Amino acid sequence: MNKYFHSVILDSEKCTGCTNCMQKCPTEALRVKDKKAIILNERCIDCGNCIIACPYHAQKAVAENLDALKNYKYKIAIPATTLYGQFMSEVNVDTILQSVKDLGFDYVYDEVIGSDLARILIKNYIKIHGNNTKPLISSHCPSITRLIQSKFPTLMNNIVKIESPMEIAARLVKLKIKEKYGYELSEIGVFYITPCPAKITSIKNPIGIKKSYVDGAISINEIYGDIYKNIKKNRGKETENFMSGSTQGIEWALAGGQSKSLNLTNYIVVDGVENACKIFEKIELGKLNHIDYVEALACTGGCVGGALNVENPFVAENNFRNLLKENKDGITINEKYAIDLCKAGFVCWTEELIPKEIDELSSDIRIAFKKMEKINKLVKELPGLDCGSCGSPTCQAFAEDVVNGLSSIEFCVFSKNNDTQGYDNK
Amino acid sequence: MSLVNSEAGLIKLEYDIVQNDFSRAGEASSNLKKVLKQLGVPHQIIRRVAIAAYEAEINIVIHSNGGKITAKISPEYIVLIAKDNGPGIKDIKLAMTEGYSTASNKVREMGFGAGMGLPNIKRCADVFDIQSKKDSTQVTIKISFNLE
Ligand code: SF4
Ligand code: SF4
């Protein structure tokens, strides 16, 4: 797989080159060239900010559609827990899940079982590593993991090396169906119904494991209407019992839910990439060595704020509050069973994380040094307005782009030979 | 913030530090980190530079009437010079003791001034020097990149 596969892509027909996305990208991964945005793949962490920011809906995530189901004999949906909060709170979750099943799946598996198993493993991980490494950092959000990989590589060791609920659920359900019906693994298709572009990337290009057990992802916003129609049909009818996870596990859809379910007392919950960066800066400075756990999530409010959701995150959060009123334990997971699965490398990371050197100007420090001198000189000549008209997010980034050969000085509107990238210069 | 100019083969970066301005403290450290990453300096060394710069910033914010941090970077090493405008340190040896602090209660309540600043800077440095007069203190450190 291409080392820089990304789910977030741009529909250049819709793109007007307005620079809204560029200004909102937390990793400076966007540029505008010839009136079209482009994503610098090695910098993108799939946070989806650009999808939310684009007024023309030109930024989107590549995902599967329901046609992909026909490639498999047995089709399983794992809806992300956030789906439970996408409809008015009086719609029963089993009705939602039945309505997903009716789209053509043979089985629907509750992602929350994955969170419940992960919870056991994280507790165990904290017990083993929590005294030596402080703070441990949750691996729940793949966008954050990628952020650490490229911007805070010294913190890679702080990440809890346990798979996401999505991946754990996919592994458990595939084995279950294989045993029950005798299908080959390749005949079973597991589809994640996702609010999250970063999770789509993790399926194709996983972090910490060799290969994902999820076969495809379908965006919530892509099939929301279809689910909604089925809900109308299914309302008030008997449905199967899909929900098998605990209330605590459901709360993982909200920022802080994970820490709460771990019964932690000394922890930080942070949402939004920029806020997370501030916390990671402090950890790197050794200022948070007294904290046990950091739950960092790229989206506002946690996964309810995922870019591929439909419902407003704050409304969805309220839907969840209603759902969380009732306290259910879910199916019991044996602790030893969970830990053995982890030891076997089935639900925990088996692969080393490798830092991504996206900032390096050259692998030869002398060349990098020369480039840096040129950048510094150029920055002094630029107006420092960070206006974005040149197609780079800031004057500093523009200077870097020019020196790296990605842009050219005349794109600066203040440059003597300015040619504003083909915009009409009235 | 940073006034950049290159002189005699060194990249020179300067950061003004304002007395009592806690909200901006950390900017110099953060900026230096980015620069060193661009140069491809090993991550653990960058972290030492960042910690030293941050502690120096905080020291100036808490204890002085403002000052300046200057970084001089070569392909082999970085030199940080933290210079403030008084009031000077009376007993340097005491100031270098872990846990010793003259920070006010108010500052301590904010979580700063635990008396670890100078010892921390020294721990991060390959070469450490401190000079103090009545009207100014200057801490100079050098950290090598150990590339070869
Ligand atoms: S997904 Fe996030 S990191 Fe990637 S280009 Fe969009 S805003 Fe930038
Ligand atoms: S917070 Fe959740 S939805 Fe958003 S990027 Fe992270 S895992 Fe995905």
Side-chain angles (χ1 to χ4, degrees), chain A residues 28 150-155 158 280-287 289 355 357 359-366 368-370 372-373 375-377 380 396-397 400, chain B residues 3-7 9-13 26 29-30 33-41 43-44 47 50-52 54-55 73-76 112 120 145 147-148:
Chain A
E28 298 192 335
S150 52
K151 292 278 174 195
F152 302 94
T154 65
L155 302 184
N158 297 52
F280 294 153
E281 294 259 350
K282 275 186 180 288
I283 301 176
E284 281 201 321
L285 291 171
K287 296 293 166 196
N289 293 344
E357 304 293 352
D359 290 317
E360 222 174 69
L361 296 168
S362 161
S363 54
D364 180 338
I365 194 167
R366 274 157 221 286
F369 198 85
K370 286 272 168 283
M372 175 83 66
E373 288 180 317
I375 292 169
N376 289 347
K377 193 161 160 268
K380 275 199 287 179
Q396 173 76 34
E400 292 167 14
Chain B
L3 211 142
V4 183
N5 51 59
S6 148
E7 50 170 44
L10 292 178
I11 291 176
K12 192 171 152 201
L13 302 162
S29 157
S30 183
K33 211 154 65 172
K34 184 182 171 204
V35 168
L36 296 183
K37 261 202 204 138
Q38 288 180 314
L39 290 177
V41 172
H43 302 297
Q44 291 302 341
R47 198 167 176 175
I51 293 173
Y54 180 78
E55 297 294 350
I73 308 170
S74 89
E76 286 92 28
F112 300 98
N120 232 346
F145 299 154
L147 285 168
E148 264 88 27

Coordinates of all heavy atoms in Angstrom, one line a residue, chain A residues 28 150-155 158 280-287 289 355 357 359-366 368-370 372-373 375-377 380 396-397 400, chain B residues 3-7 9-13 26 29-30 33-41 43-44 47 50-52 54-55 73-76 112 120 145 147-148:
Chain A
E28 N -0.7 22.3 8.1 CA -0.2 23.0 6.9 C -0.1 22.1 5.8 O 0.9 22.1 5.1 CB 1.1 23.8 7.2 CG 0.9 24.9 8.3 CD 2.1 25.9 8.4 OE1 3.2 25.5 8.0 OE2 1.8 27.0 8.9
S150 N 4.4 12.6 13.3 CA 5.1 13.6 12.5 C 5.5 14.8 13.3 O 6.5 15.4 13.0 CB 4.3 14.0 11.3 OG 3.0 14.4 11.7
K151 N 4.8 15.2 14.3 CA 5.1 16.4 15.0 C 5.7 16.2 16.4 O 6.4 17.1 16.9 CB 3.9 17.3 15.2 CG 3.3 17.8 13.8 CD 4.1 19.1 13.4 CE 3.7 19.5 12.0 NZ 4.6 20.5 11.5
F152 N 5.4 15.1 17.1 CA 5.9 14.9 18.4 C 6.5 13.5 18.6 O 6.1 12.7 19.4 CB 4.8 15.1 19.4 CG 4.1 16.5 19.4 CD1 3.0 16.7 18.6 CD2 4.7 17.5 20.0 CE1 2.4 17.9 18.5 CE2 4.1 18.8 20.0 CZ 3.0 19.0 19.2
P153 N 7.5 13.2 17.7 CA 8.0 11.8 17.7 C 8.6 11.3 19.1 O 8.6 10.1 19.3 CB 9.1 11.8 16.6 CG 9.4 13.3 16.4 CD 8.2 14.0 16.7
T154 N 9.0 12.3 19.9 CA 9.5 11.8 21.2 C 8.4 11.2 22.1 O 8.7 10.6 23.1 CB 10.3 12.8 22.0 OG1 9.4 13.9 22.4 CG2 11.5 13.4 21.2
L155 N 7.2 11.5 21.7 CA 6.1 11.0 22.5 C 5.5 9.6 22.0 O 4.5 9.1 22.5 CB 4.9 12.0 22.6 CG 5.3 13.4 23.1 CD1 4.1 14.3 23.2 CD2 6.0 13.2 24.5
N158 N 4.9 7.0 24.5 CA 3.8 7.2 25.5 C 2.5 6.7 25.0 O 1.5 6.6 25.8 CB 3.6 8.7 25.8 CG 4.9 9.4 26.4 OD1 6.0 9.2 25.9 ND2 4.7 10.0 27.5
F280 N 0.6 18.4 24.0 CA 1.8 17.6 23.7 C 3.1 18.4 23.8 O 4.2 17.9 24.2 CB 1.7 17.0 22.2 CG 0.6 16.1 22.0 CD1 0.0 15.9 20.8 CD2 0.2 15.3 23.1 CE1 -1.0 15.0 20.6 CE2 -0.9 14.4 22.9 CZ -1.5 14.2 21.7
E281 N 3.0 19.7 23.5 CA 4.2 20.6 23.8 C 4.6 20.5 25.3 O 5.7 20.4 25.6 CB 3.9 22.0 23.5 CG 3.6 22.3 22.0 CD 4.8 23.0 21.3 OE1 5.7 23.4 22.0 OE2 4.7 23.1 20.1
K282 N 3.6 20.6 26.1 CA 3.8 20.6 27.6 C 4.4 19.2 28.0 O 5.3 19.2 28.9 CB 2.5 20.8 28.3 CG 2.2 22.3 28.5 CD 1.0 22.4 29.4 CE 0.6 23.8 29.7 NZ 1.5 24.6 30.6
I283 N 3.9 18.1 27.4 CA 4.5 16.8 27.8 C 5.9 16.8 27.3 O 6.8 16.3 28.1 CB 3.7 15.7 27.1 CG1 2.2 15.7 27.5 CG2 4.3 14.3 27.5 CD1 1.4 14.7 26.8
E284 N 6.2 17.3 26.1 CA 7.6 17.2 25.7 C 8.5 18.1 26.6 O 9.7 17.8 26.8 CB 7.7 17.8 24.2 CG 7.4 16.7 23.2 CD 7.9 17.0 21.8 OE1 7.9 18.2 21.4 OE2 8.3 16.0 21.2
L285 N 8.0 19.1 27.2 CA 8.8 19.9 28.1 C 8.9 19.3 29.5 O 9.5 19.9 30.4 CB 8.2 21.3 28.2 CG 8.3 22.2 27.0 CD1 7.5 23.5 27.1 CD2 9.7 22.5 26.6
G286 N 8.2 18.2 29.7 CA 8.3 17.5 31.0 C 7.4 18.1 32.0 O 7.6 17.9 33.2
K287 N 6.4 18.9 31.6 CA 5.5 19.6 32.5 C 4.3 18.8 32.9 O 3.5 19.3 33.8 CB 5.1 20.9 31.9 CG 6.2 21.9 31.6 CD 6.8 22.4 32.9 CE 8.1 23.1 32.6 NZ 8.9 23.3 33.8
N289 N 4.4 15.4 33.8 CA 4.9 14.1 34.3 C 4.1 13.6 35.4 O 4.2 12.4 35.8 CB 6.4 14.2 34.7 CG 7.3 14.4 33.5 OD1 6.9 14.2 32.4 ND2 8.5 14.8 33.8
P355 N 8.9 7.5 13.1 CA 8.6 8.9 13.0 C 8.6 9.3 11.5 O 9.3 8.7 10.7 CB 9.7 9.6 13.7 CG 10.8 8.5 14.0 CD 10.1 7.2 13.9
E357 N 9.4 12.3 9.1 CA 10.2 13.5 9.1 C 9.6 14.5 8.0 O 10.2 14.6 7.0 CB 11.7 13.2 8.8 CG 12.3 12.2 9.7 CD 12.5 12.7 11.1 OE1 12.2 13.9 11.3 OE2 12.8 11.9 12.0
D359 N 9.1 17.7 8.4 CA 9.6 19.1 8.4 C 11.0 19.2 7.9 O 11.4 20.3 7.5 CB 9.6 19.6 9.9 CG 8.2 19.8 10.4 OD1 7.4 20.3 9.6 OD2 7.8 19.4 11.5
E360 N 11.8 18.1 7.9 CA 13.2 18.2 7.5 C 13.4 18.8 6.1 O 12.7 18.4 5.2 CB 13.7 16.7 7.5 CG 15.1 16.6 8.1 CD 15.4 15.1 8.2 OE1 15.6 14.5 7.1 OE2 15.5 14.6 9.3
L361 N 14.2 19.8 6.0 CA 14.5 20.4 4.7 C 15.4 19.6 3.9 O 15.4 19.7 2.6 CB 15.1 21.8 5.0 CG 14.2 22.8 5.7 CD1 15.0 24.0 6.1 CD2 13.0 23.2 4.8
S362 N 16.2 18.8 4.5 CA 17.1 17.9 3.8 C 17.7 16.9 4.8 O 17.8 17.2 6.0 CB 18.3 18.6 3.2 OG 19.3 17.7 2.9
S363 N 18.0 15.7 4.3 CA 18.6 14.7 5.3 C 20.0 15.0 5.6 O 20.6 14.5 6.5 CB 18.5 13.3 4.7 OG 19.1 13.2 3.5
D364 N 20.6 16.0 4.8 CA 22.0 16.4 5.1 C 21.9 17.8 5.8 O 21.4 18.8 5.2 CB 22.7 16.6 3.7 CG 24.2 17.1 3.9 OD1 24.4 17.7 5.0 OD2 25.0 16.8 3.1
I365 N 22.3 17.9 7.0 CA 22.1 19.1 7.8 C 22.8 20.3 7.1 O 22.3 21.4 7.2 CB 22.6 18.9 9.3 CG1 22.1 20.1 10.1 CG2 24.1 18.8 9.3 CD1 22.2 19.9 11.6
R366 N 23.9 20.1 6.4 CA 24.5 21.2 5.8 C 23.6 21.8 4.7 O 23.5 23.1 4.5 CB 25.9 20.9 5.2 CG 26.9 21.0 6.3 CD 28.2 20.2 6.1 NE 28.6 19.6 7.3 CZ 29.1 20.3 8.3 NH1 29.4 21.6 8.1 NH2 29.4 19.7 9.5
A368 N 20.3 21.4 4.6 CA 19.2 22.0 5.3 C 19.5 23.4 5.9 O 18.7 24.3 5.8 CB 18.8 21.0 6.5
F369 N 20.7 23.5 6.4 CA 21.2 24.7 6.9 C 21.2 25.9 5.9 O 20.7 27.0 6.1 CB 22.6 24.5 7.5 CG 23.0 25.6 8.5 CD1 22.7 25.5 9.8 CD2 23.8 26.7 8.0 CE1 23.1 26.4 10.7 CE2 24.2 27.7 8.9 CZ 23.8 27.5 10.3
K370 N 21.7 25.5 4.7 CA 21.7 26.5 3.6 C 20.3 26.9 3.3 O 20.0 28.1 3.0 CB 22.4 25.9 2.4 CG 23.9 25.8 2.5 CD 24.6 27.1 2.0 CE 26.0 27.2 2.4 NZ 26.4 27.6 3.8
M372 N 17.7 26.8 5.2 CA 17.1 27.6 6.2 C 17.6 29.1 6.2 O 16.8 30.0 6.4 CB 17.6 27.0 7.6 CG 17.2 27.8 8.8 SD 15.6 27.4 9.3 CE 15.8 25.7 9.8
E373 N 18.8 29.3 5.8 CA 19.3 30.7 5.6 C 18.5 31.4 4.6 O 18.1 32.5 4.7 CB 20.8 30.7 5.3 CG 21.7 30.3 6.5 CD 23.2 30.3 6.1 OE1 23.5 29.8 5.0 OE2 24.0 30.8 6.9
I375 N 15.5 30.6 3.6 CA 14.1 30.8 4.1 C 14.0 32.1 5.0 O 13.2 33.0 4.8 CB 13.6 29.6 4.9 CG1 13.4 28.4 3.9 CG2 12.3 29.9 5.6 CD1 13.2 27.1 4.6
N376 N 15.0 32.2 5.9 CA 15.0 33.3 6.8 C 15.1 34.6 6.1 O 14.5 35.6 6.4 CB 16.1 33.1 7.8 CG 15.9 32.0 8.8 OD1 14.7 31.5 8.9 ND2 16.9 31.6 9.6
K377 N 16.0 34.6 5.1 CA 16.2 35.8 4.3 C 14.9 36.2 3.6 O 14.5 37.4 3.6 CB 17.3 35.6 3.3 CG 17.8 36.8 2.6 CD 19.2 36.6 2.0 CE 19.5 37.6 1.0 NZ 19.1 37.2 -0.4
K380 N 12.0 37.7 5.7 CA 12.2 39.1 6.0 C 11.7 40.0 4.9 O 11.3 41.2 5.1 CB 13.6 39.4 6.3 CG 14.0 39.1 7.8 CD 15.3 39.8 8.2 CE 16.5 39.1 7.5 NZ 17.7 39.8 7.9
Q396 N 5.6 32.4 6.3 CA 6.7 31.5 6.7 C 6.6 30.2 5.8 O 7.6 29.8 5.2 CB 6.6 31.1 8.2 CG 7.6 30.0 8.6 CD 9.0 30.5 8.8 OE1 9.3 31.7 9.1 NE2 10.0 29.6 8.5
A397 N 5.4 29.6 5.7 CA 5.2 28.4 4.9 C 5.5 28.7 3.4 O 6.1 27.9 2.7 CB 3.8 27.9 5.1
E400 N 9.2 28.7 2.9 CA 9.7 27.4 2.8 C 9.3 26.7 1.5 O 10.1 26.0 0.9 CB 9.0 26.6 4.0 CG 9.5 27.0 5.4 CD 8.7 26.5 6.5 OE1 7.9 25.5 6.4 OE2 8.9 27.0 7.7
Chain B
L3 N 13.7 38.0 15.4 CA 14.4 38.8 14.4 C 15.5 37.9 13.9 O 16.3 37.5 14.6 CB 15.0 40.0 15.2 CG 15.1 41.3 14.4 CD1 14.8 42.4 15.4 CD2 16.4 41.4 13.8
V4 N 15.4 37.7 12.6 CA 16.3 36.7 12.1 C 17.4 37.3 11.2 O 17.1 38.1 10.3 CB 15.5 35.7 11.2 CG1 16.4 34.6 10.7 CG2 14.4 35.1 12.0
N5 N 18.6 37.0 11.5 CA 19.6 37.3 10.5 C 20.7 36.4 10.6 O 21.0 35.8 11.7 CB 20.1 38.8 10.6 CG 20.4 39.1 12.0 OD1 21.3 38.5 12.6 ND2 19.8 40.1 12.6
S6 N 21.4 36.2 9.6 CA 22.4 35.2 9.5 C 23.8 35.9 9.5 O 24.0 36.8 8.8 CB 22.2 34.4 8.3 OG 23.4 33.9 7.8
E7 N 24.7 35.5 10.4 CA 26.0 36.2 10.5 C 27.1 35.2 10.6 O 26.9 34.2 11.4 CB 26.0 37.2 11.6 CG 25.5 36.6 12.9 CD 25.8 37.6 14.1 OE1 25.5 38.7 13.9 OE2 26.2 37.1 15.1
G9 N 28.1 32.6 9.2 CA 27.9 31.2 9.1 C 27.0 30.6 10.2 O 26.8 29.4 10.3
L10 N 26.4 31.5 11.0 CA 25.5 31.0 12.0 C 24.1 31.5 11.7 O 23.9 32.6 11.2 CB 25.9 31.6 13.4 CG 27.2 31.1 14.0 CD1 27.4 31.8 15.3 CD2 27.1 29.6 14.2
I11 N 23.1 30.7 12.1 CA 21.7 31.3 12.0 C 21.4 31.8 13.4 O 21.6 31.2 14.4 CB 20.7 30.1 11.7 CG1 21.0 29.7 10.2 CG2 19.3 30.6 11.9 CD1 20.1 28.5 9.8
K12 N 21.0 33.1 13.4 CA 20.8 33.7 14.6 C 19.3 34.1 14.8 O 18.7 34.6 13.9 CB 21.6 35.0 14.7 CG 21.7 35.7 16.0 CD 22.7 36.8 16.0 CE 22.3 37.8 17.0 NZ 22.9 39.1 16.8
L13 N 18.7 33.6 15.9 CA 17.3 33.9 16.2 C 17.2 34.6 17.5 O 17.9 34.2 18.4 CB 16.5 32.6 16.2 CG 16.6 31.7 15.0 CD1 16.2 30.3 15.3 CD2 15.7 32.2 13.9
G26 N 7.0 30.2 26.2 CA 7.0 28.9 25.4 C 7.1 29.1 23.9 O 7.3 28.2 23.2
S29 N 10.7 28.6 22.7 CA 11.0 27.1 22.7 C 10.3 26.4 21.6 O 10.9 25.6 20.9 CB 10.5 26.6 24.1 OG 10.3 25.2 24.0
S30 N 9.1 26.7 21.4 CA 8.3 26.1 20.3 C 8.9 26.4 19.0 O 9.0 25.5 18.1 CB 6.9 26.6 20.5 OG 6.0 26.0 19.6
K33 N 12.1 24.6 18.3 CA 11.9 23.2 18.1 C 11.6 23.0 16.6 O 12.2 22.1 16.0 CB 10.7 22.8 18.9 CG 10.7 21.3 19.3 CD 10.0 21.0 20.6 CE 8.5 21.2 20.5 NZ 7.8 20.7 21.6
K34 N 10.8 23.9 16.0 CA 10.5 23.7 14.6 C 11.7 23.9 13.7 O 12.0 23.1 12.8 CB 9.4 24.7 14.2 CG 9.0 24.5 12.8 CD 8.0 25.5 12.3 CE 7.8 25.3 10.8 NZ 7.3 26.4 10.0
V35 N 12.5 24.9 14.1 CA 13.7 25.2 13.3 C 14.7 24.0 13.3 O 15.2 23.5 12.3 CB 14.4 26.4 13.8 CG1 15.8 26.6 13.2 CG2 13.6 27.7 13.5
L36 N 14.9 23.4 14.5 CA 15.8 22.3 14.6 C 15.3 21.0 13.9 O 16.0 20.3 13.4 CB 16.1 22.0 16.1 CG 16.8 23.1 16.8 CD1 17.1 22.7 18.3 CD2 18.1 23.6 16.1
K37 N 13.9 20.9 13.9 CA 13.4 19.8 13.2 C 13.6 19.9 11.7 O 13.9 19.0 11.0 CB 11.9 19.7 13.4 CG 11.4 18.7 14.5 CD 10.0 18.4 14.3 CE 9.4 17.9 15.5 NZ 8.1 18.4 15.8
Q38 N 13.5 21.2 11.2 CA 13.7 21.4 9.8 C 15.2 21.1 9.4 O 15.5 20.7 8.3 CB 13.4 22.8 9.4 CG 11.9 23.1 9.4 CD 11.5 24.5 9.1 OE1 12.1 25.4 9.6 NE2 10.5 24.7 8.2
L39 N 16.1 21.3 10.4 CA 17.5 21.0 10.1 C 17.8 19.5 10.2 O 18.8 19.1 9.8 CB 18.4 21.8 11.1 CG 18.4 23.3 10.9 CD1 19.3 24.0 12.0 CD2 18.9 23.7 9.6
G40 N 16.8 18.8 10.8 CA 17.1 17.4 10.9 C 17.9 17.0 12.1 O 18.5 15.9 12.1
V41 N 17.9 17.8 13.2 CA 18.6 17.5 14.4 C 17.8 16.3 15.1 O 16.6 16.3 15.1 CB 18.6 18.7 15.3 CG1 19.2 18.4 16.7 CG2 19.4 19.8 14.6
H43 N 15.7 14.0 17.5 CA 14.6 14.4 18.3 C 14.9 14.6 19.8 O 14.4 15.5 20.4 CB 13.4 13.4 18.1 CG 13.0 13.2 16.7 ND1 12.5 14.3 16.0 CD2 13.0 12.2 15.9 CE1 12.2 13.9 14.8 NE2 12.5 12.6 14.7
Q44 N 15.7 13.7 20.3 CA 16.0 13.8 21.8 C 16.8 15.0 22.1 O 16.7 15.6 23.1 CB 16.7 12.5 22.2 CG 15.9 11.2 22.3 CD 14.6 11.4 23.1 OE1 14.5 12.2 24.0 NE2 13.6 10.5 22.8
R47 N 14.6 18.0 22.0 CA 13.8 18.0 23.3 C 14.6 18.7 24.4 O 14.1 19.5 25.1 CB 13.4 16.6 23.7 CG 12.2 16.6 24.7 CD 11.7 15.2 24.8 NE 10.6 15.2 25.8 CZ 9.9 14.1 26.1 NH1 10.1 13.0 25.4 NH2 9.0 14.1 27.1
A50 N 14.6 22.4 23.7 CA 13.3 23.0 24.0 C 13.1 23.2 25.5 O 12.6 24.2 25.9 CB 12.2 22.0 23.4
I51 N 13.5 22.2 26.2 CA 13.3 22.3 27.7 C 14.2 23.4 28.2 O 13.7 24.3 29.0 CB 13.7 21.0 28.4 CG1 12.7 19.9 28.1 CG2 13.7 21.2 29.9 CD1 13.0 18.5 28.5
A52 N 15.5 23.5 27.8 CA 16.4 24.5 28.3 C 15.8 25.9 27.9 O 15.8 26.8 28.7 CB 17.8 24.3 27.7
Y54 N 12.7 26.7 27.2 CA 11.5 27.0 28.0 C 11.8 27.5 29.4 O 11.2 28.5 29.9 CB 10.6 25.8 28.0 CG 9.3 26.0 28.7 CD1 8.3 26.7 28.1 CD2 9.1 25.6 30.0 CE1 7.1 27.0 28.7 CE2 7.9 25.8 30.7 CZ 6.9 26.5 30.0 OH 5.7 26.8 30.7
E55 N 12.7 26.7 30.0 CA 13.0 27.1 31.4 C 13.6 28.5 31.5 O 13.4 29.3 32.4 CB 13.9 26.1 32.1 CG 13.4 24.7 32.2 CD 12.2 24.6 33.2 OE1 11.9 25.6 33.9 OE2 11.5 23.5 33.2
I73 N 22.8 29.1 15.8 CA 22.8 27.7 15.4 C 23.8 27.5 14.3 O 23.9 28.3 13.3 CB 21.4 27.3 14.9 CG1 20.3 27.7 15.9 CG2 21.3 25.9 14.5 CD1 18.9 27.6 15.4
S74 N 24.6 26.5 14.4 CA 25.5 26.1 13.3 C 25.1 24.6 13.0 O 24.2 24.1 13.6 CB 26.9 26.1 13.8 OG 27.3 24.8 14.4
P75 N 25.7 24.1 11.9 CA 25.3 22.7 11.6 C 25.8 21.7 12.7 O 25.4 20.5 12.7 CB 26.0 22.4 10.3 CG 26.2 23.8 9.7 CD 26.5 24.7 10.9
E76 N 26.6 22.1 13.6 CA 27.1 21.2 14.7 C 26.5 21.4 16.0 O 26.4 20.5 16.8 CB 28.6 21.3 14.8 CG 29.4 20.7 13.7 CD 29.7 21.7 12.6 OE1 29.8 22.9 13.0 OE2 29.8 21.3 11.5
F112 N 4.4 27.5 38.5 CA 5.7 27.8 38.1 C 6.6 28.1 39.3 O 6.1 28.1 40.5 CB 5.7 29.1 37.2 CG 4.9 29.0 36.0 CD1 3.6 29.5 36.0 CD2 5.4 28.4 34.9 CE1 2.9 29.4 34.8 CE2 4.6 28.3 33.7 CZ 3.4 28.8 33.7
N120 N 17.6 22.5 35.8 CA 17.0 21.8 34.6 C 17.8 22.3 33.4 O 18.1 21.4 32.5 CB 15.6 22.2 34.5 CG 14.7 21.0 34.3 OD1 15.2 19.9 34.1 ND2 13.4 21.2 34.5
F145 N 24.9 18.7 18.4 CA 24.0 17.9 17.8 C 24.5 16.4 17.6 O 23.7 15.5 17.3 CB 23.6 18.5 16.4 CG 23.0 19.8 16.4 CD1 23.1 20.7 15.3 CD2 22.3 20.3 17.5 CE1 22.6 22.0 15.4 CE2 21.7 21.5 17.6 CZ 21.9 22.4 16.5
L147 N 26.1 14.8 15.5 CA 25.7 14.1 14.2 C 26.7 13.1 13.7 O 26.3 12.1 13.1 CB 25.3 15.2 13.2 CG 24.0 15.9 13.4 CD1 23.8 17.1 12.6 CD2 22.8 14.9 13.3
E148 N 28.0 13.4 13.9 CA 29.0 12.5 13.3 C 29.4 11.5 14.3 O 29.3 11.6 15.5 CB 30.2 13.3 12.8 CG 30.1 13.6 11.3 CD 29.4 14.9 11.0 OE1 29.4 15.8 11.9 OE2 28.8 15.0 10.0

